[in-house]
Amino acid sequence: MKKMWQLWLTAILATFLLAACGTENAEKDNKPATENTQKEETTEAAFPLTLKDAVGNDITLEKAPETIVSMIPSNTEILFALGLNDEIVGVNDWDNYPEEALEKEKIGGQEFNVEKIVSMTPDIVFAHESMLGISDEGLQQLRDAGINVFVVKNAADFEETYETIETIGKATGKTEEAAAIIEDMKAKVEEVLAKTATVENKKRVLIENSDAPEIYAPGKNTFMQEMLDMIGAENIVTEEGWAMISPEEIVSQNPDVILIMYSYVPDIVESVKKRDGFGDITAVKEDAVVQVDEDITSRTGPRLAIGLEEVAKAIYPEAFGE
C-alpha cells in the first residue's frame, strides 16, 4: 500500500512538472513573438513625433503627412526619391527633377503664393534655410494659417546632406527609404574616392559660376571646395566663400582645368576658350574646359554623389578610363 501511495504521489508530481514546463515553454515561445510584434509596431508607428527644424521650431506630426508642399528643388528631389510622388501637391517654380515634378502644381519661387499654398491644405510645407530673410513674412503667414512649416537646414557638406535626407525621411515616415538613399550615396562617394586616390598629379582648377565680365567662383568653405578636397584637386581661388575673379587673374593663375557650372550662356565652353589671352591657359590648350550640370553639383540631395563623380571625371578623366 505504501508503495502504491509513493507511485501515485510521483505521478502527480510528474504531471505538475510537465504542466509547469509546458507553461514555461509556452511563455518562452510567446515572448519573442510579443517582442517582435512590439518592434514591428515601433518601426511602423513612428508617429506622433516632434522634430526641431533649422530655426529651432518644434514641429509635431500626429501621423505621416498625406499632402506635402516643397519650396525648393533640393527638398523636392529628396521627397521624390523617398517615394512620395502621390503625397506631393505643390513644388517650387524651378523644380525640374524628376520629370514628375514638372507635373505638380507650382507655388512660386522665393516669392511664393501664400494663398495658393493655404488652399492646398498641406499637412506639412518643407521650406529651406536659404529662404530666410526673403521669405520670413510668407512663412509666418503659413504658420498663422495652422500649417506645419519645417525649415530644412542649408547643408554645407556631404555629412549634413545625409542628415537632411534622414530628417525628411523621419518627418514623412520614410526612414528605411532614407537610409537606403544615404547608403547608395556613400557607396558612390567611396567609389569615386577610390578611383581618384590613384591620381599622382594634382590638378589646379577654376570653377566658374557666372560668365564674364563678372566671373564668380567658389573658394574656401564652399561645397565645391569640399568636392575638390575629396578628389585631391587644388582650387585656384583661395578667398573665403564666393569671390569675383577677373579674366586677367585667371590667365595669370593658369588653371589645368576650368569647370563651367552654369548653362544660361549658349556655347559657353567655346566662348570661354575665345576670351582674350585664354589661348595660353593650360586648360584651353589641353581641351580641359568642361561644362558640368549645376543642378547635380549644387542641390544637396540624392544626386549629389553623382555630381561628385561628374566633377571628378571632368578633372581626372584618366582615373575613369576616359
Side-chain angles (χ1 to χ4, degrees):
M1 184 70 182
K2 182 178 181 182
K3 185 175 181 180
M4 289 295 295
W5 180 83
Q6 289 176 334
L7 289 172
W8 177 74
L9 181 59
T10 301
I12 292 175
L13 289 172
T15 301
F16 276 115
L17 286 171
L18 287 170
C21 288
T23 303
E24 184 178 353
N25 288 334
E27 288 177 354
K28 287 181 179 178
D29 290 339
N30 290 332
K31 190 173 182 181
T34 303
E35 289 180 351
N36 289 338
T37 302
Q38 289 174 343
K39 288 179 181 178
E40 288 174 5
E41 289 175 355
T42 301
T43 301
E44 294 174 2
F47 296 89
L49 62 78
T50 299
L51 295 171
K52 191 178 295 293
D53 72 359
V55 293
N57 291 333
D58 288 329
I59 311 300
T60 298
L61 298 165
E62 297 299 326
K63 62 179 182 177
E66 297 176 358
T67 49
I68 299 169
V69 168
S70 175
M71 306 190 81
I72 197 167
S74 57
N75 287 350
T76 301
E77 292 199 18
I78 293 171
L79 291 165
F80 271 103
L82 290 171
L84 293 162
N85 186 353
D86 293 339
E87 288 80 359
I88 300 169
V89 297
V91 299
N92 184 287
D93 285 357
W94 300 102
D95 287 359
N96 58 4
Y97 186 89
E99 289 187 3
E100 290 83 355
L102 299 172
E103 301 170 4
K104 298 295 182 179
E105 193 74 19
K106 299 297 185 291
I107 53 92
Q110 291 280 20
E111 297 181 0
F112 51 87
N113 190 325
V114 174
E115 291 76 14
K116 191 171 188 178
I117 295 173
V118 172
S119 71
M120 294 175 173
T121 61
D123 293 327
I124 191 168
V125 171
F126 285 102
H128 198 265
E129 193 175 12
S130 63
M131 302 170 61
L132 301 182
I134 300 174
S135 306
D136 291 356
E137 184 178 349
L139 293 178
Q140 189 55 50
Q141 288 176 344
L142 293 176
R143 296 186 187 99
D144 293 341
I147 294 173
N148 285 316
V149 177
F150 190 95
V151 180
V152 176
K153 180 179 175 59
N154 187 21
D157 52 36
F158 272 87
E159 285 302 321
E160 290 188 354
T161 300
Y162 301 147
E163 291 172 8
T164 293
I165 295 170
E166 182 180 21
T167 298
I168 294 179
K170 287 180 181 178
T172 56
K174 298 287 186 177
T175 53
E176 291 184 6
E177 291 83 349
I181 291 170
I182 295 168
E183 184 178 353
D184 288 345
M185 290 179 69
K186 289 183 175 180
K188 173 60 71 175
V189 169
E190 288 303 316
E191 179 185 325
V192 173
L193 298 188
K195 290 181 178 179
T196 55
T198 61
V199 173
E200 295 181 358
N201 298 318
K202 180 181 289 189
K203 291 185 180 179
R204 303 179 67 252
V205 183
L206 167 70
I207 301 171
E208 282 196 12
N209 280 83
S210 59
D211 192 19
E214 295 185 352
I215 302 171
Y216 277 89
K220 293 180 179 179
N221 295 321
T222 62
F223 221 121
M224 291 309 305
Q225 181 65 63
E226 183 193 22
M227 286 191 177
L228 294 181
D229 290 341
M230 291 170 74
I231 61 175
E234 180 182 344
N235 193 349
I236 70 166
V237 177
T238 58
E239 289 90 341
E240 292 280 338
W242 295 84
M244 188 165 71
I245 184 169
S246 68
E248 293 77 18
E249 178 64 16
I250 295 172
V251 172
S252 174
Q253 288 286 345
N254 189 28
D256 299 309
V257 179
I258 297 177
L259 297 186
I260 308 298
M261 296 293 190
Y262 53 94
S263 56
Y264 64 89
V265 179
D267 301 319
I268 184 58
V269 170
E270 293 304 314
S271 177
V272 168
K273 291 178 180 179
K274 292 176 182 177
R275 288 176 185 162
D276 290 343
F278 273 47
D280 296 326
I281 294 177
T282 300
V284 176
K285 290 180 179 179
E286 300 294 330
D287 196 26
V289 180
V290 185
Q291 187 174 23
V292 179
D293 186 344
E294 67 263 40
D295 289 347
I296 63 174
T297 55
S298 63
R299 293 181 183 176
T300 50
R303 294 192 295 165
L304 195 61
I306 298 173
L308 174 67
E309 182 178 49
E310 291 303 304
V311 169
K313 284 181 178 179
I315 297 173
Y316 297 119
E318 65 277 10
F320 296 84
E322 297 183 359

